[in-house]
Amino acid sequence: MQASLSLSLSLPPAAPRSDPAPTVFRPSALRFCGLRREALGLRPLRPAGSTWVFPSPARTPSRKTVAAVSGNGSPSKGFDYDLVIIGAGVGGHGAALHAVEKGLKTAIIEGDIVGGTCVNRGCVPSKALLAVSGRMRELQNEHHLKALGLQVSSPGYDRQGVADHANNLASKIRNNLTNSLKALGVDILTGVGTIAGTQKVKYGKVGFPDTEITAKDIIIATGSVPFVPNGIEVDGKTVFTSDHALKLEWVPEWIAIVGSGYIGLEFSDVYSALGSEVTFVEALDQLMPGFDPEIGKLAQRVLINPRKIDYHTGVFAKKITPAKDGKPVLIELIDAKTKEPKDTLEVDAALIATGRAPFTKGLGLENINIVTQRGFVPVNERMQVIDASGNLIPHLYCIGDANGKMMLAHAASAQGISVVEQIGGRDNVLNHLSIPAACFTHPEISMVGMTEPQAREKAQQEGFEVSVAKTSFKANTKALAENEGEGLAKLIYRPDTGEILGVHILGMHAADLIHEASNAIALGTRVQDIKFAVHAHPTLSEVLDELFKSAKVNTGVSPSSVNEPVTV
Amino acid sequence: MAGVGQLHLGTPFLPSASIRGRSSGGGGSRRLTTRIQAKIREIFMPALSSTMTEGKIVSWVRAEGDKLSKGESVVVVESDKADMDVETFYEGYLAAIMVEEGDVAAVGSAIALLAETEDEIPLAKSQASSSSSPAASPPAAETPVPPSPSETAPEAVSSPPPSPKSSQAAVSSTHPASESGRRIVATPYAKKLAKDLKVELGSVAGSGPMGRIVAKDVEAAAAVAAAAAPVSSVPPKSISDSAAVKAPASPAIQLGTVVPFTTMQGAVSKNMVESLSVPTFRVGYTITTDALDSLYKKIKSKGVTMTALLAKATALALTKHPVVNSSCRDGKSFTYNSSINIAVAVAIDGGLITPVLQDADKVDIYSLSRKWKELVDKARAKQLQPHEYNNGTFTLSNLGMFGVDRFDAILPPGTGAIMAVGASQPTVVATKDGRIGVKSQMQVNVTADHRVIYGADLAAFLQTLAKIIEDPKELTL
């Protein structure tokens, strides 16, 4: 327990990687599961009035917002804008939308294309590829089809068609994002943004930031780029990162995936469904180190062992040489602990999925005395930027991958909304423990809050009990109707108060199912209360219904949750 | 191919229902099987699923010296499917743990000793230390091992549903030969297959890019190894050959060691010796295959396989010679079998099995080809049901794909005849009009039970078969 606990604490699960990245990752900040040290001490329910827990401001559809706020407001006295956001990724976009809703005159600076990593090189195109891989998997599974009484002859795919689907999806979402910004009247300023001083931003071509604007508040949302450890030569053809892989220019017969976190796992799902054989290279002693150990174990049984996948754990890829002159891609493996040479792999391609590094160079942070920590911009729990001497810099915030708190698109957006709330005078601290995460393999994996080892450590420190409840998809009617009974949902909670500490799901549509749990955590709903909520039958959501019902809480229904009589 | 088709190939082919049935016969489900040795009992690795061959000890719930009462969880075992709590059926003291946490033991091998009284603990301990390593213990194939997961086990909830496709264990992440200087490069699937088919990768030549070993190399190696068995004509010798199937030319074999038969090898041996009681004889024939080859080329794209074509041709010939499709079991009478079921020998998991194409004379060639593909897939996945491999009335054994030009086969007990098919090769032949030409020809050789099938019967049968193959339009009707 102790060993796995320290593993998941020291390794940023959001940034799956096999090689240590001493120059990139801040050990002090935990990403992904929302387990920052600060967050661990954060009580989910603060006294009302002083802090908002999670203001769940539903993102208003853009047209309606236009009608409501009639444009982008007018700036405060003496400033060009109320708010300037550097970076038009999902984080910047979420912040901009909320800012306009709050009546702030807003500009967003983008040096590349709107949408950032998620839309153009990340979550969005990868979902297109995974949609294809999921269907391929179903069509190739003769046993499964036969059980359903279906007959399909020789399923195949057109690689270019698959690649086009991913590309088309990315451009469609990018256009949606751009249009929603334009429709709201957010000024999209093209160029690379640099902090010129307090409340001052310059932007323009790289190296020539010739236009200066002033803003009452500034948000840095510059995101991240794939992290490539030293010794790995990326040629973009046979050795590449997710940026290239998402274009699906070819499907190698044998691909090594360095790093078995989310990115690696999703790509293994895509490549193995399209016919590749996959070899994982993982620095830690077990695959999928970021997951709850029990989920990780099941995931290995379901997603790795039955497929054409093998793995090397406890090894670093010390050197990777791209294929050339008729030679294959060479991967030199060394023991992660002893650094002794361990093995050499000869493969057709290598995907480097060792996590992501913040993209904060050239931001002019030195102009205002900010020292990045391995590239990450230091912030407090309100995303306010901290300077070299530990003081808060007024009017400057940093959200998303650039601060490294939790490297997820929707976390960045939530942080942006939280910042806009503060700018508007409403103090707000985002509860990162309520932010769900998902891995879109087949079946999917999702989680929110703490893993069991993390919860048990906290319980030991703070002296409370932890209980675990589990339900299986095998018992769910809808899952069985789909012939997808493989899966597990796991609830980690306090039996004394009914507080939900974490929920982990592996199974069909897990990524969509997690929100009942994440919302419960965000709103402070207790197990003993949510178990009375009704779920439609037969649906997969009953897996969570069963989960909550199987929990044993030693306290009654919360007084506040007694339902008011409703007319029927 | 010699009668292997009638074998029960160890546990993988036992339907799990029958295992359950046996265990429940004892009244109350026994969780741990124990062998009684005075008052010290061995605790065995249980079979938690029908495909489980070995289990990993996740954790010992109880420690050495603990007193155990009936039904108590003792150990958590990880099978190919799930982690399960395993309970003891006997009271006593956990005297000695023989397989530590994290270690793997074969199903049926002893993992701990249970002493009835505290006084016997030292005795049990000394017994444990004197016994050999757990992995070397003989698998208790005869011991009924209940696979039913414990109802009270908390882990049971998390166990995924039994999925036959997920039965492979994790693949070792090390190259087996990297230390000896000669590295083996094999793809992940090739490694998995090698483990499943018990093929030693060091003996496989790679045909993939840069000479790497790919899946089809392993499959071919397994097929060669399996096909090596029936080539020898003397039954006792073929037993030793089939023992070699497991690891052909494996560098890991220690020369000079005596290796006991596995369950399967024992069964092969028994069947081979049994075949000696049947008086057999052999008749060979050379058949020109040009017409068959061109037909094959034409309909190959429709999924038709050569195996299906040969089976179909054989079945059609058998309709005209029912005596060749008969069988004699008691030495006093014989049976004209009502249907023509062609068994075809294939290599599987280091051995042989003979999936059966039922009513091959009646089923059209396309359906027959599909059926064949399905049977082979099932055989590889170890999902063949007994009725799919043990009701053949005539057996085909084809080594043609390896370039073997002629061989003979041992008659599987309980059937009338088996036909060994060699490779079709371009041959210079003199034609009836006195010219010399090149034709593709193959040699077939039928072994038959002379108690019921005589030389003239086989000769007539082979003549009919040759006619069908040399003018194969009947095959696609």
Side-chain angles (χ1 to χ4, degrees):
Chain A
M1 202 62 85
Q2 280 300 330
S4 50
L5 177 56
S6 62
L7 275 188
S8 36
L9 277 175
S10 62
L11 211 257
R17 64 211 167 90
S18 88
D19 281 22
T23 54
V24 176
F25 293 99
R26 262 195 314 175
S28 65
L30 267 160
R31 286 160 296 276
F32 218 81
C33 293
L35 269 175
R36 319 173 268 132
R37 298 254 154 86
E38 309 92 289
L40 279 167
L42 191 70
R43 297 209 178 275
L45 279 174
R46 294 235 161 169
S50 69
T51 309
W52 288 26
V53 177
F54 187 77
S56 61
R59 219 173 287 161
T60 323
S62 50
R63 274 196 207 121
K64 195 177 153 197
T65 314
V66 173
V69 302
S70 66
N72 191 1
S74 45
S76 308
K77 233 180 169 183
F79 292 107
D80 296 329
Y81 292 97
D82 291 319
L83 178 63
V84 166
I85 301 160
I86 307 176
V90 170
H93 178 260
L97 255 57
H98 195 59
V100 172
E101 195 187 317
K102 294 292 167 195
L104 304 178
K105 185 169 169 59
T106 309
I108 196 160
I109 301 175
E110 179 56 58
D112 189 21
I113 43 180
V114 171
T117 296
C118 173
V119 172
N120 299 298
R121 297 173 299 273
C123 355
V124 171
S126 69
K127 293 306 98 49
L129 297 183
L130 283 157
V132 173
S133 78
R135 281 172 173 76
M136 272 308 281
R137 229 170 251 300
E138 277 176 31
L139 295 174
Q140 286 167 341
N141 189 343
E142 286 175 31
H143 179 70
H144 188 254
L145 290 172
K146 215 171 163 185
L148 295 171
L150 286 173
Q151 287 173 357
V152 176
S153 59
S154 57
Y157 67 92
D158 162 34
R159 184 203 52 79
Q160 191 56 50
V162 179
D164 289 347
H165 174 48
N167 193 29
N168 293 343
L169 179 70
S171 40
K172 184 179 275 175
I173 305 296
R174 181 167 63 237
N175 288 340
N176 288 353
L177 241 60
T178 312
N179 291 342
S180 70
L181 289 172
K182 282 182 182 160
L184 287 177
V186 174
D187 287 347
I188 303 176
L189 311 172
T190 306
V192 177
T194 308
I195 312 275
T198 308
Q199 296 177 309
K200 264 184 241 160
V201 178
K202 278 183 178 176
Y203 71 95
K205 283 179 190 160
V206 182
F208 304 97
D210 37 21
T211 316
E212 186 171 299
I213 49 173
T214 57
K216 188 168 161 289
D217 291 286
I218 299 167
I219 296 179
I220 298 169
T222 45
S224 63
V225 291
F227 165 68
V228 179
N230 288 333
I232 297 180
E233 187 190 331
V234 169
D235 70 348
K237 291 186 181 71
T238 58
V239 179
F240 45 80
T241 66
S242 56
D243 285 3
H244 307 99
L246 287 165
K247 293 180 189 154
L248 201 73
E249 280 166 352
W250 64 307
V251 178
E253 279 177 35
W254 185 5
I255 184 166
I257 298 181
V258 184
S260 69
Y262 288 65
I263 302 173
L265 206 56
E266 288 191 352
F267 273 106
S268 80
D269 195 276
V270 170
Y271 278 116
S272 59
L274 298 184
S276 302
E277 295 181 35
V278 175
T279 295
F280 271 119
V281 174
E282 171 59 53
L284 288 164
D285 288 335
Q286 65 190 57
L287 295 174
M288 300 168 273
F291 295 158
D292 181 89
E294 200 170 347
I295 295 287
K297 210 167 189 180
L298 183 59
Q300 178 154 339
R301 284 202 187 106
V302 176
L303 300 173
I304 308 278
N305 293 351
R307 300 184 179 173
K308 294 176 181 178
I309 300 176
D310 70 349
Y311 48 85
H312 298 252
T313 52
V315 290
F316 290 138
K318 182 171 176 268
K319 188 161 185 259
I320 300 185
T321 320
K324 56 187 160 212
D325 308 327
K327 281 188 193 151
V329 175
L330 284 177
I331 303 179
E332 289 177 28
L333 299 179
I334 57 167
D335 190 289
K337 293 187 189 85
T338 64
K339 312 289 174 209
E340 302 271 319
K342 196 92 185 269
D343 210 337
T344 304
L345 302 181
E346 298 173 19
V347 292
D348 298 320
L351 168 65
I352 313 305
T354 46
R356 301 187 61 88
F359 180 63
T360 52
K361 268 190 187 157
L363 261 176
L365 297 175
E366 59 286 350
N367 298 344
I368 41 172
N369 192 29
I370 298 172
V371 178
T372 58
Q373 294 176 2
R374 300 182 182 98
F376 291 107
V377 177
V379 293
N380 68 1
E381 75 277 11
R382 288 175 174 78
M383 311 301 140
Q384 293 166 296
V385 178
I386 300 167
D387 73 9
S389 35
N391 300 319
L392 292 180
I393 299 176
H395 308 295
L396 185 64
Y397 303 83
C398 177
I399 62 169
D401 288 3
N403 72 30
K405 273 187 184 295
M406 197 175 197
M407 298 175 85
L408 288 169
H410 49 274
S413 183
Q415 290 170 355
I417 289 165
S418 171
V419 166
V420 170
E421 283 294 308
Q422 289 169 59
I423 291 172
R426 294 167 293 273
D427 191 19
N428 186 303
V429 174
L430 176 62
N431 177 10
H432 282 74
L433 283 172
S434 73
I435 298 180
C439 185
F440 294 82
T441 43
H442 298 92
E444 295 172 344
I445 305 170
S446 63
M447 67 202 62
V448 64
M450 295 179 226
T451 63
E452 189 179 336
Q454 286 165 342
R456 293 209 182 273
E457 193 192 62
K458 189 187 177 198
Q460 205 173 15
Q461 284 166 359
E462 299 182 13
F464 60 83
E465 293 243 322
V466 168
S467 289
V468 172
K470 288 179 229 170
T471 52
S472 166
F473 278 62
K474 251 189 302 193
N476 181 274
T477 310
K478 184 74 185 307
L480 291 178
E482 301 279 349
N483 208 3
E484 300 275 358
E486 205 142 43
L488 167 76
K490 177 174 176 178
L491 167 70
I492 301 151
Y493 65 103
R494 284 182 65 158
D496 55 343
T497 63
E499 183 189 345
I500 300 171
L501 301 173
V503 172
H504 303 262
I505 309 173
L506 184 150
M508 191 186 199
H509 295 312
D512 293 306
L513 292 175
I514 195 69
H515 297 95
E516 183 167 9
S518 64
N519 288 352
I521 292 179
L523 302 173
T525 313
R526 304 296 165 117
V527 176
Q528 63 270 32
D529 301 328
I530 200 170
K531 73 202 289 182
F532 289 106
V534 181
H535 297 70
H537 176 76
T539 60
L540 291 172
S541 72
E542 289 169 292
V543 170
L544 287 193
D545 190 23
E546 288 293 317
L547 188 64
F548 295 133
K549 288 193 164 102
S550 66
K552 292 187 175 50
V553 180
N554 309 327
T555 179
V557 175
S558 310
S560 61
S561 82
V562 174
N563 291 334
E564 286 174 25
V566 177
T567 318
V568 285
Chain B
M1 292 294 122
V4 192
Q6 269 68 34
L7 292 181
H8 277 279
L9 296 183
T11 45
F13 286 100
L14 283 179
S16 55
S18 74
I19 302 176
R20 283 204 181 86
R22 277 201 276 165
S23 68
S24 59
S29 65
R30 283 198 284 167
R31 262 113 211 176
L32 282 181
T33 313
T34 47
R35 243 180 231 153
I36 299 169
Q37 279 184 339
K39 281 174 185 172
I40 295 162
R41 293 184 166 93
E42 290 181 0
I43 298 177
F44 295 111
M45 174 62 72
L48 300 172
S49 74
S50 56
T51 54
M52 176 173 167
T53 56
E54 57 179 33
K56 182 176 169 186
I57 308 289
V58 176
S59 62
W60 283 98
V61 181
R62 309 303 301 267
E64 284 186 7
D66 283 6
K67 182 163 176 16
L68 306 175
S69 48
K70 226 165 157 175
E72 223 177 339
S73 286
V74 184
V75 60
V76 181
V77 169
E78 177 187 308
S79 73
D80 51 346
K81 303 264 164 58
D83 289 357
M84 288 185 198
D85 280 27
V86 179
E87 304 167 11
T88 174
F89 187 61
Y90 294 99
E91 276 198 16
Y93 292 86
L94 185 57
I97 288 172
M98 296 162 73
V99 181
E100 295 298 325
E101 289 181 7
D103 287 349
V104 174
V107 166
S109 64
I111 54 176
L113 294 180
L114 188 72
E116 197 160 272
T117 62
E118 226 166 330
D119 306 335
E120 287 160 338
I121 292 178
L123 178 66
K125 274 194 196 282
S126 65
Q127 217 175 75
S129 56
S130 66
S131 79
S132 56
S133 79
S137 312
E142 307 303 318
T143 318
V145 184
S148 53
S150 130
E151 293 81 8
T152 56
E155 298 287 335
V157 182
S158 70
S159 62
S163 137
K165 296 235 164 178
S166 65
S167 59
Q168 295 98 324
V171 172
S172 151
S173 62
T174 50
H175 278 304
S178 53
E179 278 164 32
S180 68
R182 192 188 150 219
R183 288 190 332 102
I184 292 172
V185 180
T187 69
Y189 187 45
K191 282 188 212 160
K192 268 183 196 189
L193 271 181
K195 197 178 176 201
D196 288 352
L197 301 174
K198 301 200 169 52
V199 169
E200 178 61 46
L201 282 172
S203 65
V204 178
S207 71
M210 270 71 72
R212 76 168 67 123
I213 300 168
V214 294
K216 69 175 164 57
D217 300 329
V218 175
E219 281 168 352
V224 170
V231 170
S232 117
S233 59
V234 189
K237 204 178 166 198
S238 89
I239 294 164
S240 59
D241 278 359
S242 68
V245 162
K246 250 192 156 170
S250 156
I253 285 183
Q254 289 190 340
L255 299 176
T257 53
V258 175
V259 183
F261 279 160
T262 61
T263 315
M264 190 180 120
Q265 287 164 341
V268 170
S269 167
K270 184 171 159 284
N271 245 5
M272 289 300 91
V273 173
E274 199 179 307
S275 76
L276 286 176
S277 66
V278 178
T280 55
F281 73 112
R282 298 162 180 87
V283 176
Y285 208 100
T286 301
I287 302 176
T288 303
T289 61
D290 290 311
L292 184 71
D293 292 341
S294 66
L295 172 70
Y296 175 56
K297 258 183 216 144
K298 242 190 285 173
I299 56 177
K300 193 178 169 184
S301 61
K302 294 176 187 164
V304 172
T305 63
M306 188 48 102
T307 301
L309 280 171
L310 287 171
K312 180 74 181 173
T314 308
L316 289 177
L318 286 172
T319 57
K320 296 180 180 124
H321 305 275
V323 72
V324 184
N325 194 46
S326 68
S327 53
C328 168
R329 286 167 201 275
D330 55 5
K332 292 174 198 147
S333 64
F334 67 103
T335 313
Y336 285 111
N337 288 306
S338 54
S339 42
I340 297 176
N341 297 337
I342 307 288
V344 187
V346 295
I348 173 212
D349 208 355
L352 284 173
I353 193 156
T354 52
V356 173
L357 287 164
Q358 301 195 19
D359 296 316
D361 57 323
K362 300 197 182 82
V363 180
D364 71 82
I365 187 66
Y366 305 103
S367 308
L368 204 61
S369 298
R370 275 196 298 279
K371 183 75 191 167
W372 177 244
K373 188 179 177 300
E374 186 194 317
L375 287 171
V376 170
D377 288 349
K378 270 180 149 177
R380 298 246 154 86
K382 300 177 189 169
Q383 288 169 13
L384 278 184
Q385 299 300 310
H387 72 268
E388 289 172 315
Y389 62 83
N390 64 11
N391 62 353
T393 57
F394 185 99
T395 310
L396 270 187
S397 176
N398 185 359
L399 291 181
M401 61 284 242
F402 305 114
V404 169
D405 64 342
R406 60 185 178 276
F407 68 107
D408 72 38
I410 295 170
L411 182 66
T415 62
I418 179 170
M419 183 164 78
V421 181
S424 172
Q425 291 170 324
T427 313
V428 177
V429 292
T431 56
K432 276 175 189 158
D433 55 4
R435 295 169 188 238
I436 290 172
V438 174
K439 288 187 191 294
S440 286
Q441 293 190 320
M442 71 174 181
Q443 299 193 39
V444 299
N445 193 1
V446 181
T447 304
D449 180 348
H450 208 304
R451 291 174 299 178
V452 290
I453 302 165
Y454 302 163
D457 298 328
L458 280 191
F461 162 73
L462 285 167
Q463 201 177 19
T464 307
L465 179 67
K467 265 189 200 145
I468 292 171
I469 288 177
E470 286 167 10
D471 184 12
K473 59 178 182 297
E474 251 187 281
L475 296 182
T476 51
L477 289 179

